[in-house]
Amino acid sequence: MNRVKGKRILVTGASSGIGEGCAKLFASGGADLVLVARREGRLRRLKETLEREHGIDVRVFQLDVRDRDAVEDFGRTLEREIVAPDVLVNNAGLASGMGKFFEGDFDDWDRMIDTNVKGLLNVSRYVVPLMVKQNRGHIVNIGSIAGHIVYPGGNVYNATKYAVRALNQAMSLDLVGTNIRVSCIDPGATQTEFSVVRFHGDEEKAEDVYRGFKPLTGDDIAEAIYFVVNAPEHVNVLNLVIMPTAQRSPFVLHREED
Ligand SMILES: NC(=O)c1ccc[n+]([C@@H]2O[C@H](COP(=O)([O-])OP(=O)(O)OC[C@H]3O[C@@H](n4cnc5c(N)ncnc54)[C@H](OP(=O)(O)O)[C@@H]3O)[C@@H](O)[C@H]2O)c1
């Protein structure tokens, strides 16, 4: 059964990977979209394709979720020009670096904490009140298995994803008594631009992360998000942990030898 048709889905970080996968899948289900990221050119191209192919309405916003004033303006624009989104997918996020914490780069730390934690909060702070006003909606936070188990070199990224899991539970508790659902999707190894960003553009190092096994794709995670959103209104999935079949934990990953 299709319960997403005609709904308005807001996806942060829609210019690539999991967010782009969500935009495409929800568009194919007949949902209207609000797409957010910093790379506006990519969003515009996605909008053109999805509107042409699916006859839906797609709004795009160039937005850095770290910029609280800009997020406030975005929230005001949403309230003024568009109805409150039915679904907010808090997906924008990144890892930056993978060194030991005592040699950590402060810019990397700020980038991760400001995007993954404060950015998610900024967007939620200005979008969720619109849902509360209408007493309906669904927040889908993108966490990670990095929010369940700490791995070597993960330090600050792990801390941000533990924070996302805590905030997911907090949002769920704070919204008790409303019709607003709250879910956290926690992917394992997913091949997107994630590792290229983590290794500051080193494509070879990024490629090596996925050597010898079949990783998840952004589209695989989008399917899980679609499932959670498409469930009947009285069904709330609090948390989903998804890994490639070859991966059983951040530490246990079967690679075929070359
Ligand atoms: N790939 C994995 O293995 C994996 C596993 C677990 C969890 N995750 C999580 O999944 C989410 C999506 O990552 P992905 O794998 O799809 O990586 P990706 O391909 O690098 O996509 C990240 C998206 O976030 C956006 N973004 C980053 N910083 C932003 C900012 N300050 N403001 C607005 N948008 C911003 C990027 O767009 P712009 O650069 O255009 O702004 C991009 O669209 C992240 O939260 C990540 O932590 C990924």
Side-chain angles (χ1 to χ4, degrees):
M1 177 181 268
N2 180 344
R3 297 186 185 87
V4 308
K5 194 173 166 56
K7 286 198 171 157
R8 174 75 68 173
I9 319 284
L10 193 176
V11 183
T12 68
S15 60
S16 145
I18 294 169
E20 184 180 353
C22 282
K24 289 177 175 163
L25 191 58
F26 281 106
S28 74
D32 295 319
L33 302 172
V34 178
L35 305 180
V36 167
R38 292 167 302 177
R39 287 171 292 181
E40 196 184 8
R42 285 190 180 207
L43 295 181
R44 294 215 161 280
R45 284 193 289 281
L46 193 55
K47 168 186 163 76
E48 277 170 29
T49 309
L50 298 180
E51 285 185 336
R52 191 180 57 243
E53 288 178 358
H54 303 289
I56 54 163
D57 178 52
V58 182
R59 298 286 308 267
V60 302
F61 291 87
Q62 179 178 34
L63 183 68
D64 186 330
V65 297
R66 295 172 296 182
D67 182 341
R68 190 167 289 153
D69 291 340
V71 177
E72 184 177 6
D73 281 349
F74 166 69
R76 286 223 188 87
T77 307
L78 275 187
E79 190 168 17
R80 203 174 48 243
E81 296 181 14
I82 310 172
V83 288
D86 298 288
V87 179
L88 163 62
V89 183
N90 268 326
N91 165 74
L94 78 172
S96 196
M98 208 177 168
K100 292 184 186 295
F101 82 93
F102 57 86
E103 297 163 344
D105 181 294
F106 292 109
D107 289 337
D108 280 342
W109 292 1
D110 287 346
R111 214 169 284 136
M112 290 186 276
I113 293 167
D114 291 350
T115 310
N116 301 357
V117 183
K118 291 164 74 179
L120 179 144
L121 282 169
N122 290 341
V123 174
S124 303
R125 178 64 185 84
Y126 288 113
V127 171
V128 177
L130 309 180
M131 292 179 172
V132 171
K133 216 183 263 182
Q134 303 200 6
N135 194 24
R136 67 181 169 80
H138 194 159
I139 307 163
V140 181
N141 295 306
I142 307 303
S144 171
I145 58 167
H148 292 258
I149 305 174
V150 177
Y151 53 81
N155 47 65
V156 175
Y157 181 65
N158 284 121
T160 65
K161 290 300 182 177
Y162 271 71
V164 171
R165 194 148 67 92
L167 287 170
N168 185 71
Q169 289 175 17
M171 288 179 183
S172 179
L173 292 172
D174 285 353
L175 288 164
V176 68
T178 73
N179 291 321
I180 300 166
R181 297 186 284 175
V182 182
S183 307
C184 195
I185 308 295
D186 294 334
T190 308
Q191 191 161 20
T192 59
E193 293 176 13
F194 178 83
S195 292
V196 178
V197 171
R198 167 169 252 174
F199 297 120
H200 303 124
D202 186 335
E203 306 250 356
E204 217 172 295
K205 219 168 164 183
E207 195 63 37
D208 199 48
V209 172
Y210 311 105
R211 177 184 43 80
F213 74 101
K214 192 171 167 53
L216 300 172
T217 64
D219 292 343
D220 293 327
I221 300 303
E223 274 192 37
I225 295 167
Y226 190 99
F227 163 77
V228 162
V229 168
N230 196 48
E233 294 289 330
H234 68 287
V235 177
N236 185 43
V237 178
L238 184 65
N239 202 203
L240 265 189
V241 180
I242 308 160
M243 284 181 270
T245 305
Q247 183 182 38
R248 303 303 161 105
S249 99
F251 303 106
V252 182
L253 178 59
H254 178 73
R255 294 183 201 266
E256 297 294 339
E257 295 306 325
D258 299 328

